[in-house]
Amino acid sequence: MDFVQVETIAPLTLEISQIALPSTALSRTSRIPKDTIRTSLRASTTDSVLAAVYSLGTGGILLSNFLVELGASPVVFGMLSSIPMLVNLVQPLGAYLSERSTSRFQYSLRTHGIGRLLWLVLVISIAGVSWGVVNTHQLVILTLLIVLFSNLLGGLGTASWLSWVAMIVPRQLRGRYFGTRNSAASLTNLVCVPMAGLAVSHWYGGTLQGYGVILLVGIVFGIMGLGCQYFQVDMNPQSQNTYYGKLPQTSEIQPEVAIDKSFEVAQSIYPPQNQLANSLWKNSNFLRFLLYFSFWTLAVSLSSPFFNLYMLDTLDLDVSYVTIYNSLQAGATLLMLILWGKLADKIGNRPILICIGILVAATPLLWLGIGVNRLDIWLWLPLLHILSGGTWAAIDLCSNNIQLAIAPNKNQSIYFAIAAAVAGASGALGTTIGSFIVQFAQFGGLLGLFALSSLFRLAALVPLFFVKEPGR
């Protein structure tokens, strides 16, 4: 039987569907047939497609339009965007709990599964508005509570999921695989977002009822996506930490080591908490990445939640127009992700983050001249969204890849959780500051916020120049 090691040593030049690896290669904790790896990658890609449909109703433009229809204030929009980032503070706790579980899949079901089912409460409440049981103010508060608890559960499971995928995807294929995976999700958004927007705006029972139907469909697809994870090769965090407890902890690829079968059932050997803390503080490269990641998230979060608000409220555009713009952005992401993935495998992630980061920093300034005339609506706004889709494809992909490369292999999910928690706190702070700036016209309102965000984004790139990418 052919076997594949979870993280390969030799360079790979073939596509995912044509992986050919040495039959004698050894995995981190056990030998895994290469057909199992292929099945896992396909299952994860299918999961991303179904999760993209789930995200249509639980975030993005449709949720924003839902709150606009309910008369929500800019502070509510700030809270809506800050909650998913603020709950990342629980990721270290989630990582701690996941490392003491015996199955990544079962842990994912307990966190993401319950979190997705919570949205059924909002579906029932939307029906309650039609029956006169719930008023719009109560619905706004309930929406924020569901966003809070759903993301809280998701935050408990995110680090575990990322560590799970990092163990499955070979290092030399990460750029191409995540490019392909994210492209599949972007294609789903490209097709489904305008359809959902038209369905909501033209629903015979009104936009609120139309959103409720779309949300219900999204929940069903989200649960189906979790079912796809059953076909991914499961990982036992305790066996993983036992094996890496025997190796020097670096971010580099470890040499091949003969692994005794007993490691698969051995009890986990956890380092003392002060030893883990010392290893974090001594990892200066990881700390420099944290500095960049936190400042960048704060700078981006100052303005990113308010672009949709600007179009829906200030420009008073119909939601169907905005969903078309978002589809164009998804299309640009789809076209560019595979290119960025291959380029990242070739030249590294840091150079792309620096060069494209400068362009992303300048993007908010391009919103300053946007008005409600035909030229802006039919030309400049579509071009802005296409630019954002192509550039953010690079930022999201390379940020994820460089984080996977920098984090040590042992207790990997804890490093991911700490990065997410720091970035989440920074993002929530940025969104909160932005929402209060929008409230006061003397600070320039939305346009002044866009200009301020651009300056902060440029400054946030400075720490990235001092981050070293392992293997580059």
Side-chain angles (χ1 to χ4, degrees):
M1 180 182 289
D2 292 329
F3 295 96
V4 60
Q5 68 175 19
V6 175
E7 185 163 317
T8 59
I9 306 301
L12 300 179
T13 58
L14 301 180
E15 296 298 327
I16 296 171
S17 61
Q18 299 174 318
I19 298 176
L21 298 173
S23 60
T24 58
L26 295 172
S27 71
R28 290 170 171 173
T29 58
S30 63
R31 293 186 173 185
I32 304 175
K34 65 181 182 182
D35 287 340
T36 303
I37 293 293
R38 290 172 179 166
T39 301
S40 299
L41 298 184
R42 293 191 188 104
S44 181
T45 302
T46 305
D47 176 27
S48 72
V49 171
L50 297 174
V53 179
Y54 163 77
S55 299
L56 290 180
T58 59
I61 182 59
L62 293 183
L63 183 58
S64 297
N65 182 71
F66 173 68
L67 291 173
V68 168
E69 293 289 333
L70 295 176
S73 67
V75 174
V76 172
F77 280 88
M79 294 175 65
L80 180 69
S81 299
S82 63
I83 285 173
M85 293 179 284
L86 191 60
V87 297
N88 283 328
L89 291 172
V90 305
Q91 284 209 28
L93 173 62
Y96 176 85
L97 295 175
S98 71
E99 294 304 304
R100 278 146 179 77
S101 68
T102 56
S103 169
R104 295 288 189 195
F105 172 65
Q106 293 179 10
Y107 186 81
S108 179
L109 285 182
R110 291 194 296 268
T111 53
H112 291 101
I114 298 174
R116 293 182 180 184
L117 288 174
L118 278 178
W119 286 92
L120 288 173
V121 178
L122 184 57
V123 174
I124 297 172
S125 300
I126 292 173
V129 172
S130 303
W131 301 331
V133 179
V134 181
N135 60 46
T136 56
H137 178 68
Q138 292 172 334
L139 197 57
V140 170
I141 296 175
L142 181 62
T143 301
L144 291 178
L145 288 174
I146 292 174
V147 169
L148 172 62
F149 287 106
S150 176
N151 283 277
L152 193 64
L153 288 165
L156 289 174
T158 298
S160 175
W161 176 87
L162 187 57
S163 181
W164 185 11
V165 176
M167 292 288 290
I168 295 174
V169 183
R171 181 184 294 270
Q172 284 80 1
L173 278 179
R174 281 176 183 166
R176 277 172 285 176
Y177 172 69
F178 284 112
T180 302
R181 187 181 190 276
N182 294 347
S183 292
S186 297
L187 178 60
T188 304
N189 285 325
L190 177 64
V191 174
C192 295
V193 167
M195 294 173 59
L198 289 172
V200 169
S201 60
H202 294 89
W203 190 261
Y204 68 92
T207 56
L208 294 183
Q209 191 179 105
Y211 171 75
V213 173
I214 296 299
L215 178 58
L216 179 60
V217 173
I219 294 170
V220 173
F221 276 82
I223 298 302
M224 291 169 58
L226 289 178
C228 291
Q229 295 182 7
Y230 174 80
F231 299 97
Q232 295 177 205
V233 56
D234 203 358
M235 295 288 173
N236 185 338
Q238 297 189 18
S239 296
Q240 175 185 341
N241 289 329
T242 299
Y243 169 49
Y244 278 109
K246 304 295 185 180
L247 296 178
Q249 291 304 301
T250 69
S251 298
E252 303 292 340
I253 300 174
Q254 300 292 345
E256 293 187 19
V257 179
I259 306 170
D260 192 283
K261 288 282 187 177
S262 62
F263 282 128
E264 297 182 26
V265 295
Q267 292 296 318
S268 178
I269 301 175
Y270 294 104
Q273 295 302 313
N274 60 342
Q275 181 180 337
L276 178 60
N278 289 336
S279 66
L280 283 169
W281 284 112
K282 291 179 181 179
N283 194 333
S284 58
N285 195 40
F286 181 73
L287 295 178
R288 287 192 293 267
F289 173 77
L290 277 185
L291 186 64
Y292 152 73
F293 203 38
S294 59
F295 281 143
W296 175 259
T297 307
L298 186 147
V300 168
S301 300
L302 277 175
S303 60
S304 59
F306 303 102
F307 291 119
N308 284 336
L309 177 63
Y310 183 69
M311 291 185 290
L312 292 169
D313 190 23
T314 304
L315 300 182
D316 197 24
L317 296 178
D318 187 82
V319 65
S320 59
Y321 286 99
V322 183
T323 53
I324 291 174
Y325 298 152
N326 280 263
S327 295
L328 292 174
Q329 183 171 335
T333 302
L334 170 67
L335 293 175
M336 295 300 296
L337 268 172
I338 297 177
L339 171 64
W340 292 128
K342 291 182 179 180
L343 189 61
D345 287 338
K346 183 177 294 185
I347 69 172
N349 297 283
R350 192 175 72 102
I352 297 176
L353 285 173
I354 293 173
C355 296
I356 303 301
I358 295 173
L359 187 56
V360 170
T363 301
L365 298 176
L366 301 179
W367 284 79
L368 300 184
I370 297 295
V372 291
N373 56 77
R374 289 183 176 273
L375 181 64
D376 289 344
I377 291 175
W378 293 106
L379 180 62
W380 295 121
L381 279 173
L383 288 178
L384 267 178
H385 282 81
I386 291 172
L387 174 65
S388 296
T391 52
W392 273 106
I395 298 296
D396 291 340
L397 178 67
C398 294
S399 295
N400 180 71
N401 287 346
I402 197 172
Q403 185 179 169
L404 293 177
I406 290 174
N409 292 317
K410 186 181 179 183
N411 294 307
Q412 196 175 52
S413 64
I414 295 178
Y415 282 81
F416 295 152
I418 290 173
V422 171
S426 300
L429 177 62
T431 302
T432 303
I433 294 172
S435 64
F436 282 107
I437 291 177
V438 172
Q439 290 286 90
F440 300 102
Q442 60 266 34
F443 292 109
L446 281 171
L447 297 182
L449 180 65
F450 295 163
L452 182 65
S453 175
S454 185
L455 293 176
F456 272 69
R457 292 183 188 193
L458 280 174
L461 290 173
V462 174
L464 186 59
F465 285 90
F466 303 97
V467 175
K468 297 179 182 179
E469 184 176 358
R472 301 290 177 181

